[in-house]
Amino acid sequence: MSPTDQQADTQAPAHADAEVPAEHAVPETLALAAEFEAATRDQWRELVAGVLRKTGREELPDPVEEALARTVATGVRVAPLYTAEDAGDLPAVVGVPGLPPFVRGATAAGSIGASGTPAAWDIRQRHAHPDVAVTKEAVAADLENGVTSLWLQLGEGAVPVAALGEVLSDVLLDLAPVGVSGGTAAAEAFLAIVEGRTDLAPGSSLGLDPLGEHAATGRRQDLSGLGDVARRAAAHPGLRTVAVDATVFADAGASAVEELGCSLAAGVGYLRALTDAGLSVDEAFAQLDFRYSATADQFTTIAALRAARRLWDRVGDVSGASPEARAQRQHAVTSSVMTTKRDPWVNMLRTTVACFAAGVGGADVVTVQPFDSALGLPDSFSRRIARNTQNLLVEEGHLARVLDPAGGSWYVESLTDSLARAAWGWFTEIERAGGLVEALDSGLVRDRIAAAWDDRAKRLATRADAITGVSEFPNLTERLPAREPLAWSPPSGGLPRVRAAQEFEELRDRADAVMSSDGGTRPAVYLATIGPVAKHTARASFAGNLFQAGGLATPSGDGVEGLAEAGTTVACICGTDKDYATEAAGLAKELRAAGVTQVWLAGKPELGIDGVDGYVYAGCDALAALRTAHEQLGVQA
C-alpha cells in the first residue's frame, strides 16, 4: 500500500461502507478535463516551436524540446516537459522507504533522531574556531536553540585537538551526536573521551577519510589501521569510523555524476580495507557514512541523494551485505562552490533552497553553512540564521512529515535514474583503472572533474548559470560584513577548490583596488544611449548590469553628452536595432573623436556596425568582455 493509499484508509469515516444514494454517486469516468480533448506531445511541440520562432530562432532542433533542454551534470540533461511516456523505461520498482533499493528513504519512519525514535533530520552545525571559550559558547547556543548534533573541525587553526574534552564537557553525548574531522589525531581524541561509554547518541562519527585526504593533498594515505579503529568504534553503538566525504570532489568542480561516482569508489575502497582487516561485510558497511554537497539546484540535489542510496544498495547487493545493512547514511552539507563573498546575504537564499532539497531528498543529517562562510569565521548572527533555516523548514514548513515527497514525479524519477546510470558508469570506469587510489594518482579523476568544471565555467562566463548579486544584479555600493579570518585551511596540493563566483569576484576586487588608489573614483564604462528612455532602457540596463559585474561604474548620457563627466575612455552604445542602423556608426565616430579608445555596442555581432570594437548581448562571454574592458581601462590583476 502506498503512503497515499494508507492515509486515505486511516482517514476514512466510520460510515465509509454505507450505501451511497445513486443520485450522489460519482461516475468512475468523471474527470475535471472530461469535456476537453486530451492534448498530445506533438501539439505541445507545435506551440513551443511557434513561440521560439517569434523570438527570432529560425532553425529549430528535432525534437523541438531540445532547444529548451539543459545540462545539470555530466552526460545528464533535463527536458522542459515530462509525462507518463517518460516513465516507461524507468525501473519498475523503486522500492518503498526503508527497504532496498532505498531510493525512497533509508528508513520506513523517515529520519531517526538522537533518541532512536522517528524525527526530523539531524540538524548539525559545524565549528572550527580556535578559541576554546568562543567555541564552547557557540556550541551551547546552538544546542539550546534547535541544533541536534555537532561537527567539530579539529587541528591547527581550528579547534585544538587537546581541547576537545573541554569543548565537549557540557555536551550530553547520549543526546547529541558528535562528528569530528581532523584525521587520526581527532579520532583518537574522541575515542579517548568516550572510552567505556555505550550510550552514545546514534550518528556520531570519527570522520576518518584517508581517501578524501589523498584526493585533497595528492598524497597516498595509509588505510591499514582502519580495521583496528573500526573495532574500537564498534564498542560504541551508533559510532561510525569513516566519513566518505564526497564534497572534496564537489569542491573541485565535480558535477553530481562525478561526486556520486567518486563516493562509490571511495566507499568500495574502504569496504575492501575493512574486510581485509577481518570485519564482516555487514560490519564494514556499518562503519561508513557519506557526506554530499547540497546545491541551490534543488531537483538535482534531491535526485542525487536518492540515486546515491540506490547505488550504494547495489554495491551492497553485489558485496553480499544483508539488506538491512545496505541503507546509506547521508550527511548533506550546503555547497561551498555556490557560496559567494560578494552580496553574501544572498547566500541565505541559496542555503535555504539547498537545505530544502537535502530534506526532501532524504538526507539523515544536514549542515547549513553560514552565509558568511566565504568571508571568514561566522559570527553568532550567521550561525543563528544557519540553524534557524533548518528549524523553520522543520517546525514551520513541516517538511519532515512526508516521506520522499518528490517520489513518483516523472521528472524526479527520470532524473534520479539518469544520475544513477551516469554515476555508475563513472564508478565502473574508476574501478577498471584499479580503484580510486590509482585513478587519483593517474590523473583520471582530476581530468574528469576538470572537464566537468570547464563545462560549468562556460555557463558561468556566459551567465547561462547566473549568480545573483555577482554576475547578475551586482551592488557596487555594498559594504561587506567584517569577519575574523579563518585560521584553518583545508588540505591542499591535490584537487583544486573552486567557487562559481570566484572569477567575477576577482574582477570586482581589482576594480575596487583601483577605486581605492584613485581617490574613490571607480573605473567606468560610459553608456551612450540613442533615442528616448523607452527605447534604450532595456539594452542600457542589460549593459549596465554586465559591466557592473566586473566592478565598473556605468554612467550614462544621450550620445556623447555625458562622456566628459564620466571621465572614461571606454563606452557602450545602447539603443534599438532600428536606431543602430541609422545612428550607431556615426555615434561611434563621435565617441572616438571625444577620446574614447574602445567602443562596445549592446546587441548581436550580426549587426556589423562600423567603428564598434565589441558586442555585449545575452549569451555572450561576459568574463571575456569584462577582462577586455579592464585591460583598456588599465585595471591590472
Side-chain angles (χ1 to χ4, degrees), residues 212-566:
E213 188 171 350
H214 180 181
T217 64
R219 298 188 300 272
R220 286 198 181 200
Q221 306 295 314
D222 185 11
L223 276 64
S224 61
L226 281 181
D228 290 338
V229 178
R231 273 186 283 270
R232 293 164 61 194
H236 308 280
L239 176 62
R240 300 195 178 209
T241 301
V242 176
V244 182
D245 191 355
T247 65
V248 68
F249 305 105
D251 290 349
S255 77
V257 168
E258 288 79 31
E259 184 180 8
L260 293 179
C262 288
S263 76
L264 291 182
V268 168
Y270 291 130
L271 291 179
R272 292 185 178 119
L274 292 171
T275 53
D276 287 348
L279 276 70
S280 69
V281 173
D282 279 12
E283 288 172 338
F285 267 78
Q287 289 301 315
L288 273 60
D289 57 20
F290 289 74
R291 186 175 296 137
Y292 294 108
S293 63
T295 75
D297 185 343
Q298 65 175 1
F299 286 108
T300 300
T301 296
I302 292 168
L305 292 170
R306 299 172 88 246
R309 291 193 294 271
R310 170 180 161 184
L311 292 169
W312 190 238
D313 173 72
R314 175 60 178 155
V315 169
D317 185 27
V318 299
S319 299
S322 61
E324 55 271 20
R326 302 194 314 241
Q328 186 185 68
R329 180 171 174 80
Q330 297 177 333
H331 176 192
V333 183
T334 57
S335 168
S336 295
V337 176
M338 72 178 181
T339 306
T340 67
K341 290 182 178 179
R342 296 288 182 163
D343 211 348
W345 298 273
V346 181
N347 292 327
M348 297 183 197
L349 306 179
R350 296 185 181 99
T351 56
T352 299
V353 175
C355 181
F356 173 91
V360 171
D364 303 284
V365 184
V366 179
T367 295
V368 170
Q369 298 203 68
F371 74 88
D372 53 359
S373 59
L375 294 173
L377 288 166
D379 65 1
S380 59
F381 172 74
S382 60
R383 286 195 304 271
R384 177 171 175 264
I385 294 297
R387 65 176 178 259
N388 280 348
T389 296
Q390 302 206 54
N391 288 331
L392 185 148
L393 290 173
V394 171
E395 302 296 340
E396 297 185 38
H398 308 296
L399 199 61
R401 290 192 177 187
V402 180
L403 290 176
D404 190 32
S409 158
W410 294 317
Y411 171 36
V412 173
E413 296 295 2
S414 178
L415 183 55
T416 299
D417 185 66
S418 296
L419 287 171
R421 290 179 182 277
W424 187 262
W426 169 231
F427 160 63
T428 55
E429 184 177 345
I430 294 174
E431 285 294 286
R432 287 193 299 272
L436 185 59
V437 170
E438 297 298 330
L440 286 168
D441 287 345
S442 69
L444 176 65
V445 171
R446 180 189 62 246
D447 292 345
R448 171 67 180 255
I449 291 177
W453 182 247
D454 283 347
D455 288 343
R456 176 81 194 283
K458 291 174 184 175
R459 299 196 298 274
L460 291 166
T462 60
R463 302 191 298 175
D465 285 2
I467 308 173
T468 304
V470 179
S471 67
E472 294 278 12
F473 314 113
N475 177 11
L476 296 188
T477 63
E478 69 176 341
R479 292 186 178 181
L480 296 178
R483 292 293 183 264
E484 184 178 347
L486 186 66
W488 173 78
S489 298
S492 60
L495 295 179
R497 290 177 62 86
V498 299
R499 287 187 306 108
Q502 62 190 19
E503 295 194 68
F504 283 99
E505 289 179 342
E506 287 171 3
L507 293 173
R508 287 276 296 274
D509 291 344
R510 294 172 194 172
D512 286 357
V514 170
M515 181 179 69
S516 298
S517 64
D518 194 23
T521 301
R522 181 178 291 279
V525 173
Y526 173 66
L527 304 184
T529 61
I530 299 176
V533 172
K535 286 189 174 184
H536 68 242
T537 292
R539 277 180 166 156
S541 297
F542 172 84
N545 190 38
L546 187 150
F547 287 113
Q548 288 168 25
L552 305 176
T554 53
S556 62
D558 184 14
V560 298
E561 288 182 7
L563 178 61
E565 184 178 351

Side-chain angles (χ1 to χ4, degrees), residues 154-182:
L154 306 181
E156 184 178 355
V159 179
V161 174
L164 180 59
E166 184 180 353
V167 170
L168 296 177
S169 60
D170 297 328
V171 176
L172 301 178
L173 297 180
D174 57 333
L175 296 179
V178 174
V180 296
S181 294

